[in-house]
Amino acid sequence: DVKVTQSSRYLVKRTGEKVFLECVQDMDHENMFWYRQDPGLGLRLIYFSYDVKMKEKGDIPEGYSVSREKKERFSLILESASTNQTSMYLCASSFWGEGEQYFGPGTRLTVT
Amino acid sequence: QKEVEQDPGPLSVPEGAIVSLNCTYSNSAFQYFMWYRQYSRKGPELLMYTYSSGNKEDGRFTAQVDKSSKYISLFIRDSQPSDSATYLCAMSAQETSGSRLTFGEGTQLTVNP
């Protein structure tokens, strides 16, 4: 079974803090993705990576950065958290050229 | 206009009912179509995966794709309370780098015992 794990299920941070969300997959997938999910807006792609040290912007990259130093690990960084970044964050992974993405359990981030 | 439109519901049906979930899309380049199921406070899990037009059946679930109408459907027969979840359609174009998916908003389904 494909396993995608995320570092925290629930996280509460203060405005202005630097926040790290980490994702690890164990299936040797080339592609990794970060989404946020909000009511009425669905899943929106923040960033994705198709190889180590490679990254591409998704639909809503503003206020976020990412890091992929190892194939199995993809980190999402909020440089200075703001209240409008309160959301559910989902990580996913897939093989190159395949549409099937496998998701982690999500991190519910609250910024106060 | 969104690339993928999905009625958010909520949809409430009695146990045993046939459920029809639908998405329309505008990008004619989409070739791969998926349905994900997401239980409350969990990540989405892949339910059905189809390529191009046609039907695919898996147990009580049937996925249907009509590329000429840019319309996809998921049918659930003999629905069960355990089917209560949010269902998301997703699709991608063959040429897309990194297999990037575009998701619908999701339809919240409740099956009442």
Side-chain angles (χ1 to χ4, degrees):
Chain A
D1 267 1
V2 175
K3 196 103 184 263
V4 180
T5 57
Q6 295 184 229
S7 49
S8 306
R9 292 301 306 275
Y10 300 94
L11 212 50
V12 180
K13 295 291 182 181
R14 293 193 181 275
T15 301
E17 278 193 84
K18 192 168 186 175
V19 182
F20 292 88
L21 302 181
E22 193 165 75
C23 175
V24 178
Q25 51 93 6
D26 67 357
M27 276 302 290
D28 204 33
H29 285 164
E30 291 83 12
N31 304 326
M32 295 189 76
F33 306 83
W34 275 108
Y35 296 90
R36 62 177 284 176
Q37 186 175 32
D38 300 286
L41 297 174
L43 268 81
R44 293 180 292 166
L45 182 64
I46 305 171
Y47 267 98
F48 66 102
S49 168
Y50 52 87
D51 202 352
V52 175
K53 297 194 187 295
M54 304 299 287
K55 62 183 179 185
E56 286 200 25
K57 293 180 180 179
D59 300 317
I60 51 163
E62 297 78 21
Y64 304 94
S65 62
V66 290
S67 172
R68 193 161 180 206
E69 296 296 318
K70 292 186 177 182
K71 189 175 186 179
E72 68 271 17
R73 198 175 297 264
F74 192 35
S75 300
L76 180 70
I77 303 149
L78 287 66
E79 295 290 341
S80 178
S82 63
T83 55
N84 63 13
Q85 291 179 311
T86 291
S87 186
M88 169 72 94
Y89 289 87
L90 289 159
C91 174
S93 69
S94 73
F95 285 117
W96 172 261
E98 289 192 6
E100 302 175 54
Q101 292 183 17
Y102 297 86
F103 283 83
T107 296
R108 186 163 292 281
L109 173 67
T110 302
V111 182
T112 62
Chain B
Q1 186 188 357
K2 293 179 184 176
E3 260 190 312
V4 179
E5 299 274 2
Q6 183 177 6
D7 185 344
L11 187 60
S12 181
V13 302
E15 184 174 352
I18 296 174
V19 176
S20 171
L21 304 167
N22 311 295
C23 287
T24 58
Y25 63 95
S26 57
N27 187 347
S28 57
F30 287 144
Q31 298 276 357
Y32 300 92
F33 303 92
M34 281 141 273
W35 286 95
Y36 283 82
R37 178 175 61 196
Q38 186 177 20
Y39 290 115
S40 182
R41 291 184 290 277
K42 297 279 178 75
E45 57 178 340
L46 184 66
L47 195 59
M48 298 286 280
Y49 180 86
T50 55
Y51 170 69
S52 200
S53 285
N55 291 0
K56 183 175 181 179
E57 193 172 313
D58 184 2
R60 297 184 294 109
F61 298 89
T62 299
Q64 197 172 75
V65 175
D66 182 349
K67 289 193 70 184
S68 62
S69 303
K70 296 191 179 69
Y71 189 88
I72 69 170
S73 300
L74 177 71
F75 297 97
I76 307 174
R77 289 184 299 281
D78 188 24
S79 56
Q80 302 294 309
S82 58
D83 295 328
S84 298
T86 296
Y87 290 81
L88 300 124
C89 64
M91 42 201 85
S92 71
Q94 194 170 12
E95 298 84 7
T96 303
S97 66
S99 304
R100 180 174 169 165
L101 294 179
T102 303
F103 285 85
E105 189 180 330
T107 300
Q108 187 180 339
L109 170 68
T110 301
V111 180
N112 301 297

